[in-house]
Amino acid sequence: KLAKGSSQPPPLFGLQRVQAPQKLQATMKHFGATLCAVGLSALLTPAAGVLRGRPEASLTQTGIIDGCGSAPKYDNSKTKNFADGRATKYNVETKKTEPVVFKAGDVIDFECAPGFSTDGSKDGVMVYQVECTEHGYYKPKGVCVEASKCGAVPAIPNAIPTGQKVKGGVEMGCEVGHSLDGEKVVAGGLGKNRFFVLECVEFSGAYKEFTGECKPYAFVASSETRRIYNEVAEALFTVSCKGSIKTAFGDKEIPAGLDNACKGFEDSAAACAGLVTKIKADFESELKAREEHDKAAGKEWYDEKDADRPGIGEEAQTFCTELWALLKMPSL
């Protein structure tokens, strides 16, 4: 599980959203499938920008996408409203200390630190907004750049500032889907074909002209895109779906989201409902079998794995695999 307020890096690439993924996201929300949620936000959502070290995805402690969690932390800026940046608040109605969290559609104002602005000019705008998206991650609509003698950062097609401090200039990065050489940017790499520095020539008070170009990646056929989507998303979905059910089994409680898992399935709703009915029946029968096994064994804790102890693993694997078959993109 991810701790509350923990984050994932910005999505690395985006695909057009279609009907099938929208159904899948609704299912994930009810299941609380952490890995699936993170993986598919990368698959389905274009990144807000090329931001080094700036988290854009947050999950609740249970892994359920229910908003974006606490306010994110960005370099060279902080929440304009001090209360928005706090981890907790006191609720006068419930008389309890509660976490400060934000839901989809909420917008938080961030203010640049002294000496920084959103365009790099000394008198530039110092406030930008960060939106909590429906996919459970934060989308910043600006970045704080250190004010320079060269003034505002010039507009470069398909590139934006990263907010990273560099000596004598401003670090820029090609937007998602673009690179300096037209080749794919390697995820987790050094970004040598993505990041570059605009040099500030203080003597002239102007930025040195950028002679490069952020070029689009090579075109990927829609059939290949669908194949990649299905392979990656199926692995993420199955692992997280199965993990959620096994965790609930260990807690001896049927996952609450199961009853709502088939919302939005439309023509396959009946088949989905059948899968849910079966996994719930398997859950209860296997749980009863485990309790009887434990009682007969006379143990409450197991120091070693008991191969004969009933579990829900195989049933969960079958359920998640067949559920995915109802969700995946159709092949071309």
PDB file of all heavy atoms in Angstrom, residues 47-63:
ATOM      1  N   ALA A  47       0.049  13.984 -19.770  1.00  0.00           N
ATOM      2  CA  ALA A  47       0.724  14.624 -18.636  1.00  0.00           C
ATOM      3  C   ALA A  47       0.493  16.115 -18.664  1.00  0.00           C
ATOM      4  O   ALA A  47       0.339  16.738 -19.697  1.00  0.00           O
ATOM      5  CB  ALA A  47       2.218  14.330 -18.703  1.00  0.00           C
ATOM      6  N   ALA A  48       0.482  16.721 -17.477  1.00  0.00           N
ATOM      7  CA  ALA A  48       0.288  18.161 -17.385  1.00  0.00           C
ATOM      8  C   ALA A  48       1.538  18.901 -17.827  1.00  0.00           C
ATOM      9  O   ALA A  48       1.490  20.043 -18.234  1.00  0.00           O
ATOM     10  CB  ALA A  48      -0.058  18.532 -15.952  1.00  0.00           C
ATOM     11  N   GLY A  49       2.683  18.274 -17.721  1.00  0.00           N
ATOM     12  CA  GLY A  49       3.909  18.939 -18.107  1.00  0.00           C
ATOM     13  C   GLY A  49       5.096  18.047 -17.876  1.00  0.00           C
ATOM     14  O   GLY A  49       4.969  16.929 -17.419  1.00  0.00           O
ATOM     15  N   VAL A  50       6.264  18.552 -18.205  1.00  0.00           N
ATOM     16  CA  VAL A  50       7.487  17.788 -17.983  1.00  0.00           C
ATOM     17  C   VAL A  50       8.147  18.359 -16.744  1.00  0.00           C
ATOM     18  O   VAL A  50       8.920  19.295 -16.805  1.00  0.00           O
ATOM     19  CB  VAL A  50       8.421  17.858 -19.210  1.00  0.00           C
ATOM     20  CG1 VAL A  50       7.975  16.884 -20.256  1.00  0.00           C
ATOM     21  CG2 VAL A  50       8.441  19.258 -19.820  1.00  0.00           C
ATOM     22  N   LEU A  51       7.812  17.844 -15.609  1.00  0.00           N
ATOM     23  CA  LEU A  51       8.201  18.454 -14.352  1.00  0.00           C
ATOM     24  C   LEU A  51       9.110  17.531 -13.566  1.00  0.00           C
ATOM     25  O   LEU A  51       8.691  16.484 -13.111  1.00  0.00           O
ATOM     26  CB  LEU A  51       6.955  18.791 -13.537  1.00  0.00           C
ATOM     27  CG  LEU A  51       5.880  19.548 -14.344  1.00  0.00           C
ATOM     28  CD1 LEU A  51       4.644  19.713 -13.504  1.00  0.00           C
ATOM     29  CD2 LEU A  51       6.399  20.888 -14.797  1.00  0.00           C
ATOM     30  N   ARG A  52      10.355  17.917 -13.401  1.00  0.00           N
ATOM     31  CA  ARG A  52      11.304  17.104 -12.657  1.00  0.00           C
ATOM     32  C   ARG A  52      10.964  17.157 -11.176  1.00  0.00           C
ATOM     33  O   ARG A  52      10.844  18.228 -10.594  1.00  0.00           O
ATOM     34  CB  ARG A  52      12.728  17.625 -12.841  1.00  0.00           C
ATOM     35  CG  ARG A  52      13.368  17.325 -14.200  1.00  0.00           C
ATOM     36  CD  ARG A  52      14.808  17.774 -14.129  1.00  0.00           C
ATOM     37  NE  ARG A  52      15.499  17.648 -15.401  1.00  0.00           N
ATOM     38  CZ  ARG A  52      16.243  16.608 -15.721  1.00  0.00           C
ATOM     39  NH1 ARG A  52      16.357  15.599 -14.885  1.00  0.00           N
ATOM     40  NH2 ARG A  52      16.878  16.581 -16.877  1.00  0.00           N
ATOM     41  N   GLY A  53      10.824  15.983 -10.561  1.00  0.00           N
ATOM     42  CA  GLY A  53      10.649  15.926  -9.116  1.00  0.00           C
ATOM     43  C   GLY A  53       9.380  16.552  -8.609  1.00  0.00           C
ATOM     44  O   GLY A  53       9.296  16.979  -7.472  1.00  0.00           O
ATOM     45  N   ARG A  54       8.368  16.627  -9.444  1.00  0.00           N
ATOM     46  CA  ARG A  54       7.121  17.257  -9.018  1.00  0.00           C
ATOM     47  C   ARG A  54       6.005  16.226  -9.095  1.00  0.00           C
ATOM     48  O   ARG A  54       5.519  15.899 -10.158  1.00  0.00           O
ATOM     49  CB  ARG A  54       6.782  18.449  -9.911  1.00  0.00           C
ATOM     50  CG  ARG A  54       7.797  19.564  -9.825  1.00  0.00           C
ATOM     51  CD  ARG A  54       7.355  20.738 -10.636  1.00  0.00           C
ATOM     52  NE  ARG A  54       6.124  21.290 -10.116  1.00  0.00           N
ATOM     53  CZ  ARG A  54       5.449  22.230 -10.744  1.00  0.00           C
ATOM     54  NH1 ARG A  54       5.829  22.680 -11.894  1.00  0.00           N
ATOM     55  NH2 ARG A  54       4.333  22.698 -10.218  1.00  0.00           N
ATOM     56  N   PRO A  55       5.574  15.697  -7.941  1.00  0.00           N
ATOM     57  CA  PRO A  55       4.553  14.655  -7.953  1.00  0.00           C
ATOM     58  C   PRO A  55       3.222  15.188  -8.446  1.00  0.00           C
ATOM     59  O   PRO A  55       2.849  16.304  -8.141  1.00  0.00           O
ATOM     60  CB  PRO A  55       4.466  14.232  -6.487  1.00  0.00           C
ATOM     61  CG  PRO A  55       4.920  15.436  -5.732  1.00  0.00           C
ATOM     62  CD  PRO A  55       5.971  16.080  -6.592  1.00  0.00           C
ATOM     63  N   GLU A  56       2.508  14.360  -9.210  1.00  0.00           N
ATOM     64  CA  GLU A  56       1.202  14.777  -9.723  1.00  0.00           C
ATOM     65  C   GLU A  56       0.122  13.757  -9.426  1.00  0.00           C
ATOM     66  O   GLU A  56      -1.010  13.932  -9.821  1.00  0.00           O
ATOM     67  CB  GLU A  56       1.287  15.014 -11.230  1.00  0.00           C
ATOM     68  CG  GLU A  56       2.149  16.216 -11.587  1.00  0.00           C
ATOM     69  CD  GLU A  56       2.103  16.493 -13.065  1.00  0.00           C
ATOM     70  OE1 GLU A  56       1.102  16.184 -13.711  1.00  0.00           O
ATOM     71  OE2 GLU A  56       3.079  17.030 -13.585  1.00  0.00           O
ATOM     72  N   ALA A  57       0.452  12.655  -8.758  1.00  0.00           N
ATOM     73  CA  ALA A  57      -0.562  11.649  -8.467  1.00  0.00           C
ATOM     74  C   ALA A  57      -0.530  11.286  -7.006  1.00  0.00           C
ATOM     75  O   ALA A  57       0.512  11.001  -6.455  1.00  0.00           O
ATOM     76  CB  ALA A  57      -0.318  10.405  -9.304  1.00  0.00           C
ATOM     77  N   SER A  58      -1.667  11.331  -6.359  1.00  0.00           N
ATOM     78  CA  SER A  58      -1.743  10.974  -4.955  1.00  0.00           C
ATOM     79  C   SER A  58      -2.888  10.002  -4.736  1.00  0.00           C
ATOM     80  O   SER A  58      -3.923  10.099  -5.366  1.00  0.00           O
ATOM     81  CB  SER A  58      -1.968  12.222  -4.091  1.00  0.00           C
ATOM     82  OG  SER A  58      -0.909  13.141  -4.261  1.00  0.00           O
ATOM     83  N   LEU A  59      -2.702   9.057  -3.825  1.00  0.00           N
ATOM     84  CA  LEU A  59      -3.727   8.072  -3.524  1.00  0.00           C
ATOM     85  C   LEU A  59      -4.054   8.112  -2.046  1.00  0.00           C
ATOM     86  O   LEU A  59      -3.229   8.479  -1.220  1.00  0.00           O
ATOM     87  CB  LEU A  59      -3.233   6.669  -3.896  1.00  0.00           C
ATOM     88  CG  LEU A  59      -3.018   6.427  -5.399  1.00  0.00           C
ATOM     89  CD1 LEU A  59      -2.284   5.114  -5.575  1.00  0.00           C
ATOM     90  CD2 LEU A  59      -4.334   6.390  -6.122  1.00  0.00           C
ATOM     91  N   THR A  60      -5.256   7.703  -1.703  1.00  0.00           N
ATOM     92  CA  THR A  60      -5.606   7.623  -0.301  1.00  0.00           C
ATOM     93  C   THR A  60      -4.908   6.428   0.315  1.00  0.00           C
ATOM     94  O   THR A  60      -4.351   5.586  -0.367  1.00  0.00           O
ATOM     95  CB  THR A  60      -7.130   7.450  -0.143  1.00  0.00           C
ATOM     96  OG1 THR A  60      -7.497   6.222  -0.766  1.00  0.00           O
ATOM     97  CG2 THR A  60      -7.882   8.590  -0.785  1.00  0.00           C
ATOM     98  N   GLN A  61      -4.933   6.336   1.631  1.00  0.00           N
ATOM     99  CA  GLN A  61      -4.210   5.292   2.332  1.00  0.00           C
ATOM    100  C   GLN A  61      -4.709   3.908   1.951  1.00  0.00           C
ATOM    101  O   GLN A  61      -3.953   2.948   1.920  1.00  0.00           O
ATOM    102  CB  GLN A  61      -4.356   5.496   3.850  1.00  0.00           C
ATOM    103  CG  GLN A  61      -3.430   4.608   4.662  1.00  0.00           C
ATOM    104  CD  GLN A  61      -3.457   4.995   6.112  1.00  0.00           C
ATOM    105  OE1 GLN A  61      -4.326   5.736   6.549  1.00  0.00           O
ATOM    106  NE2 GLN A  61      -2.507   4.508   6.876  1.00  0.00           N
ATOM    107  N   THR A  62      -5.971   3.790   1.640  1.00  0.00           N
ATOM    108  CA  THR A  62      -6.531   2.490   1.268  1.00  0.00           C
ATOM    109  C   THR A  62      -6.298   2.163  -0.190  1.00  0.00           C
ATOM    110  O   THR A  62      -6.581   1.073  -0.642  1.00  0.00           O
ATOM    111  CB  THR A  62      -8.051   2.471   1.519  1.00  0.00           C
ATOM    112  OG1 THR A  62      -8.659   3.510   0.740  1.00  0.00           O
ATOM    113  CG2 THR A  62      -8.354   2.694   2.988  1.00  0.00           C
ATOM    114  N   GLY A  63      -5.772   3.129  -0.939  1.00  0.00           N
ATOM    115  CA  GLY A  63      -5.526   2.883  -2.352  1.00  0.00           C
ATOM    116  C   GLY A  63      -6.721   3.217  -3.218  1.00  0.00           C
ATOM    117  O   GLY A  63      -6.664   3.114  -4.431  1.00  0.00           O
TER     118      GLY A  63
END
